[in-house]
Amino acid sequence: MPPKPHVIAIYPGSFDPITNGHLDLIQRGSRVFDKLIVSILRNDLKQPLFSVEERMEMLREVIRGYENVEVDSFGGLLVDHAVSRSATAILRGIRAISDYEYELQMAHMNRRLQPDIETVFMMAGETYSFISSRLVKQVFGLGGNIAGLVPPSVLERMQRRLPN
Ligand code: PNS
């Protein structure tokens, strides 16, 4: 029997900040792939709440204990980053039908650019299907309670960044 391939996947995103929905996908992805690289897009066009370095630190804090998960960042094309990290899969989460159209476009474009890389979708856990970084920031900024929606270490950083 041929040896089982060692499958490396990239889980790309903005992660500004990481939510419990992202963390759920990381946990589940780490069981499916031999190695999972959580990669933050370096995007000069967006005005993030946390710098890429801060987001990498937050991610490292929450992935402690997952031996096959690591954190990285990238600029330029995602598929070029995936090739440079020897990844053959891209992991993305889908929360609702509204995510599907954008994700489908990206998956097709990425396959056109790099046919050897497969996009793998996982459905967000039902407890997390309404959580997004954007809403978490908005609710927190308006004084709402986001405990349970982000990891405790992220909540602490948000309280320091945006005291409300
Ligand atoms: O968390 P997000 O903001 O939904 O993540 C979007 C991300 C980073 C996956 C996407 O913007 C991306 O892959 N950007 C890199 C540029 C690229 O490769 N574009 C072509 C594929 S559509």
Side-chain angles (χ1 to χ4, degrees):
M1 226 170 43
K4 189 175 159 279
H6 183 80
V7 182
I8 301 174
I10 303 277
Y11 177 31
S14 306
F15 304 107
D16 184 41
I18 179 167
T19 66
N20 283 345
H22 295 130
L23 193 54
D24 172 57
L25 222 73
I26 292 172
Q27 281 167 352
R28 287 158 56 206
S30 73
R31 293 200 290 264
V32 171
F33 300 107
D34 296 298
K35 184 166 141 181
L36 184 65
I37 304 169
V38 186
S39 282
I40 300 175
L41 174 67
R42 291 186 175 273
N43 182 354
D44 297 336
L45 297 178
K46 272 194 186 173
Q47 275 285 319
L49 176 60
F50 294 103
S51 70
V52 172
E53 283 62 36
E54 287 172 311
R55 282 178 269 160
M56 288 182 82
E57 253 177 61
M58 287 191 271
L59 275 167
R60 285 203 187 97
E61 281 163 12
V62 299
I63 61 151
R64 267 191 216 127
Y66 297 97
E67 285 187 354
N68 63 340
V69 181
E70 60 179 78
V71 176
D72 200 355
S73 67
F74 72 102
L77 286 177
L78 170 60
V79 288
D80 289 346
H81 171 60
V83 168
S84 77
R85 296 300 319 262
S86 309
T88 51
I90 292 169
L91 174 64
R92 291 288 288 172
I94 292 202
R95 290 164 299 193
I97 290 286
S98 48
D99 285 338
Y100 179 78
E101 207 169 326
Y102 170 58
E103 294 298 334
L104 184 72
Q105 275 183 350
M106 281 205 297
H108 282 317
M109 180 60 80
N110 284 331
R111 188 157 59 217
R112 188 188 167 92
L113 293 168
Q114 191 50 259
D116 295 337
I117 296 181
E118 199 62 51
T119 300
V120 176
F121 292 110
M122 280 188 184
M123 298 306 137
E126 50 281 15
T127 335
Y128 308 108
S129 59
F130 65 97
I131 307 177
S132 69
S133 300
R134 185 181 60 81
L135 271 188
V136 159
K137 284 184 284 194
Q138 184 189 94
V139 169
F140 185 78
L142 294 171
N145 182 6
I146 57 160
L149 305 184
V150 296
S153 57
V154 172
L155 181 56
E156 276 169 33
R157 276 181 192 256
M158 290 190 66
Q159 281 162 341
R160 287 203 297 269
R161 179 61 47 94
L162 297 172
N164 56 16

